Amino acid sequence: MSPAATTEPADRPDVVAEVEARARGLYADALGPIGARFDFDAPPPPAETRGPPMVLLLGNHSSGKSSFINWVVGEEVQRTGIAPIDDGFTIITRGPERDAKDGAAVVTNPDLPWGDLERFGPTLVSHLRLRLVPSEALAQVALVDSPGMIDAADQRVDRGYDFAGVVRWFAERADVILLLFDPDKPGTTGETLSVLTQSLSGLEHKLLIIFNKVDRFGSMRDYARAYGALCWNLSKAIPRKDLPHIYNTYLPTEEAAGSGIPLDDFDKQRDEVRAEVMRAPQRKVDNVVSRLHQHAKRLRVHATVIDRLARERRAMALRYVGLALAALLVGWLALQVAGLFVGKDGQTRLLLWDLALVATALAAVGGMYAWERRAHARELSLDALFERAYARELVLGDGAEDLRALWASVRERVRRALDARGGAPVRLRRSEARRLDRLIGEEIKALRSRAGQGPPA
């Protein structure tokens, strides 16, 4: 389905500013402190939430991303061609005059919302640029052109930085995502498959899939064959019963006028795509709330799994404390009973023997505890830990699919958090659990209602 249009309240600047300010307050007052205790991802900096609405374009090198940008802007701001032209991420936004800035200038400017990209390393920064264009079409939106994805079946693609991770970074912050496919390459292998299954996971609500350049087909039969191939490939990459809507588009050029197929219906779909791009400012407020909601749910799962490990470690320690107390009690009782049968001369020797036996028992208990804890840490399965933490919800099917998706998104973050603490987990306080649950169950719903968007997904 195409992304739904936002309702009227989200169009009002005062409502947008209020929702963004309240979201930043929830990040700072609730999510930030709890996330810091559990070594979770930091909330987005204020510059990001205040940044311009953003549209991300993805596709292989000949899918028409740059041509589409030029058509939306109304002038040639990106070079185009059949061969690969650009191997980096280009952010195009409005400026007082035409200008270009390299990646280092972009990530080091605290007034720009893209500084966090620096964490992907110098190679990514060297493949990042910002273009300022004095165009009215860019008055309320920034367009992000991405390098063409490489559909190499052998997966041996090394760009020198985490391409899928960078795409995920932009996709989470984008208000509209366009994924363009070329009629000559309707495949979903290599980087395209990785982006579909990883970088865009959970972001389907703002994704538009576009089958571009349909004017190149000589007949409807050729078009139907290529369209069917794309649908087949997508069905293998997108784990859904129904495929999302696919827009069939082309750009109005002199070459398109000589197409071998009727283009009227494709004109309408192209205009729908452009309308969604221009609607990015209205969609931004909903995405601010959705991102807050997703961050809170991911933090809740992250903290709950780590808390489960802390509880299991505490239960193990208490079990061995019980064994140690039992050893002391047995030793004391043995000493009392034996004292009834020996005289004063033998009591000192008996006490020494009893202390030696108790010390041996305590050492054995301590050794068993140390051995079991090391074995537990060595054989720890995070997936099994998650299953134990959410056993009831998973068995009852109460949002099990959503839970597993959330777990997949935080699993490595949990591992890194435990590694950073040397495997020593922290407990989730009751006040923190109640705060997260209230935020997810009440406050974010109220915030979405204020934005005029209905209940969260």
Side-chain angles (χ1 to χ4, degrees):
M1 295 179 60
S2 62
T6 57
T7 53
E8 184 178 353
D11 297 340
R12 293 170 45 191
D14 58 329
V15 173
V16 174
E18 177 189 341
V19 170
E20 291 181 348
R22 288 174 62 183
R24 288 195 296 271
L26 291 175
Y27 278 123
D29 299 336
L31 299 178
I34 299 175
R37 270 211 337 121
F38 284 86
D39 293 303
F40 190 63
D41 297 328
E48 281 189 18
T49 58
R50 291 197 301 264
M54 192 161 61
V55 177
L56 172 64
L57 290 93
L58 302 167
N60 61 42
H61 65 77
S62 60
S63 59
K65 302 186 303 298
S66 297
S67 297
F68 184 86
I69 288 173
N70 293 340
W71 176 69
V72 168
V73 177
E75 58 181 285
E76 187 170 346
V77 295
Q78 288 288 82
R79 294 181 299 165
T80 61
I82 298 177
I85 299 295
D86 204 342
D87 65 346
F89 289 85
T90 304
I91 304 164
I92 303 147
T93 189
R94 189 184 186 190
E97 58 185 23
R98 191 178 294 271
D99 194 9
K101 299 183 182 297
D102 61 23
V106 173
V107 300
T108 57
N109 189 333
D111 296 327
L112 296 178
W114 302 292
D116 189 49
L117 284 168
E118 189 173 14
R119 64 185 170 94
F120 290 99
T123 304
L124 180 275
V125 172
S126 68
H127 287 78
L128 176 69
R129 62 191 59 84
L130 172 67
R131 284 188 177 157
L132 303 175
V133 181
S135 170
E136 284 299 319
L138 298 171
Q140 298 185 18
V141 67
L143 305 176
V144 180
D145 196 2
S146 61
M149 292 186 291
I150 304 171
D151 280 343
D154 60 6
Q155 298 290 314
R156 290 179 297 183
V157 178
D158 184 11
R159 294 181 182 269
Y161 61 89
D162 181 7
F163 176 76
V166 176
V167 171
R168 179 73 186 186
W169 190 97
F170 276 111
E172 287 180 340
R173 292 154 179 79
D175 301 291
V176 180
I177 305 169
L178 307 183
L179 177 57
L180 287 78
F181 286 93
D182 184 344
D184 295 329
K185 303 181 185 67
T188 51
T189 59
E191 287 183 330
T192 304
L193 179 61
S194 174
V195 164
L196 271 171
T197 57
Q198 300 177 32
S199 303
L200 302 182
S201 176
L203 304 176
E204 294 82 0
H205 61 285
K206 51 185 175 181
L207 172 64
L208 278 66
I209 297 178
I210 301 171
F211 190 38
N212 199 25
K213 301 183 179 181
V214 296
D215 58 305
R216 293 189 175 184
F217 292 107
S219 67
M220 289 300 294
R221 177 178 296 179
D222 294 337
Y223 159 73
R225 185 182 297 112
Y227 181 77
L230 175 61
C231 291
W232 171 261
N233 291 328
L234 287 174
S235 69
K236 299 301 181 182
I238 301 177
R240 289 171 50 179
K241 293 181 179 179
D242 301 316
L243 279 177
H245 179 73
I246 301 175
Y247 292 88
N248 296 268
T249 66
Y250 75 100
L251 296 181
T253 61
E254 294 182 3
E255 292 81 359
S259 175
I261 61 175
L263 299 175
D264 292 345
D265 186 57
F266 302 134
D267 289 339
K268 180 180 179 181
Q269 295 189 51
R270 182 188 65 236
D271 292 340
E272 289 176 358
V273 172
R274 180 169 186 170
E276 292 294 344
V277 170
M278 294 296 102
R279 199 173 289 127
Q282 289 80 17
R283 291 177 53 82
K284 181 182 179 182
V285 66
D286 182 48
N287 290 330
V288 167
V289 180
S290 296
R291 188 178 176 194
L292 173 70
H293 189 216
Q294 192 72 5
H295 187 97
K297 291 197 299 181
R298 291 174 66 242
L299 174 56
R300 185 64 166 98
V301 172
H302 175 95
T304 299
V305 172
I306 292 179
D307 176 72
R308 174 70 188 197
L309 179 59
R311 289 174 181 272
E312 291 183 357
R313 295 275 176 84
R314 182 172 180 268
M316 183 193 305
L318 289 176
R319 187 168 69 252
Y320 280 97
V321 167
L323 288 174
L325 292 175
L328 289 173
L329 179 60
V330 169
W332 180 80
L333 290 174
L335 181 62
Q336 297 303 311
V337 172
L340 298 175
F341 301 97
V342 298
K344 290 184 178 180
D345 294 339
Q347 286 187 357
T348 300
R349 182 180 300 175
L350 178 64
L351 177 61
L352 292 174
W353 274 104
D354 190 70
L355 289 176
L357 289 173
V358 170
T360 302
L362 290 177
V365 170
M368 290 170 60
Y369 170 68
W371 177 85
E372 185 174 348
R373 177 158 182 170
R374 285 195 299 269
H376 186 272
R378 184 172 59 250
E379 299 171 4
L380 176 65
S381 168
L382 292 182
D383 291 331
L385 187 64
F386 162 73
E387 297 281 343
R388 295 194 296 273
Y390 284 97
R392 182 177 180 276
E393 292 84 350
L394 296 174
V395 169
L396 297 177
D398 185 14
E401 185 176 344
D402 183 42
L403 272 175
R404 294 189 187 281
L406 287 170
W407 171 241
S409 69
V410 301
R411 186 180 186 280
E412 290 307 311
R413 178 73 261 183
V414 169
R415 184 179 298 281
R416 292 197 299 271
L418 292 175
D419 290 343
R421 292 179 171 271
V426 293
R427 290 287 303 276
L428 179 63
R429 300 166 184 156
R430 289 185 179 180
S431 60
E432 293 174 328
R434 288 195 298 267
R435 185 71 182 95
L436 288 174
D437 291 341
R438 186 171 66 252
L439 191 151
I440 294 170
E442 300 175 14
E443 296 178 51
I444 292 179
K445 285 185 177 180
L447 190 60
R448 193 181 293 275
S449 178
R450 176 58 178 146
Q453 300 300 311

